[in-house]
Amino acid sequence: MDKNKTVLLVDDDKEYINSLEELLTSVGYKVLIAHNGKEALAHTEKTRPDAIILDVMMDSDTEGFEVSRVISKTEALNGLPVILVTGISREMNLPFRFEPHKELLPVRAVIDKPVDPSDLLKKLEELW
């Protein structure tokens, strides 16, 4: 694992962010934090992290979907790997899971909450 990789964590649940930050720093990642889509886009444009772990339901129920689309359509950010981590299917009792799609959901992976730490680390390592 490249110890110089920076990951931006985007979630409005501060306890969840703290636990992910602890996990990622324990294996050598540098971590940035944003609590909503607006902060995430500002961080992304300013610092250009190596990857983003992005929640869906924050200030709005679909905020993470919107942020992933903005990133994919912004020339300077296009190609930035995003892992969507969400509990939306469970929260809204949806009969389906979300999957990456080049235009509709431009992310590298979708992981359902609650997240298995080893699964998340594996997905991150697969990005590079």
Side-chain angles (χ1 to χ4, degrees), residues 81-95:
V82 175
I83 296 175
L84 200 65
V85 177
T86 183
I88 193 170
S89 293
R90 185 187 72 247
E91 289 283 325
M92 297 187 140
N93 203 23
L94 300 175

Side-chain angles (χ1 to χ4, degrees), residues 49-61:
D50 297 296
I52 299 175
I53 297 175
L54 176 64
D55 185 30
V56 172
M57 298 169 61
M58 292 177 285
D59 288 344
S60 74
D61 285 349

Side-chain angles (χ1 to χ4, degrees), residues 19 21 26 36 51 53-54 78 82 89-90 93 112 116 119:
S19 66
E21 179 181 26
S26 74
N36 59 46
I53 297 175
L54 176 64
N78 191 344
V82 175
S89 293
R90 185 187 72 247
N93 203 23
D112 290 321
D116 177 290
D119 187 33

Side-chain angles (χ1 to χ4, degrees), residues 87-128:
I88 193 170
S89 293
R90 185 187 72 247
E91 289 283 325
M92 297 187 140
N93 203 23
L94 300 175
F96 57 86
R97 291 187 65 241
F98 290 93
E99 297 292 331
H101 183 279
K102 184 177 179 176
E103 293 174 17
L104 299 175
L105 189 53
V107 298
R108 298 278 182 93
V110 178
I111 301 175
D112 290 321
K113 285 182 178 178
V115 175
D116 177 290
S118 61
D119 187 33
L120 179 61
L121 291 175
K122 180 180 175 195
K123 292 288 185 198
L124 270 174
E125 289 178 27
E126 289 172 358
L127 296 177
W128 301 290

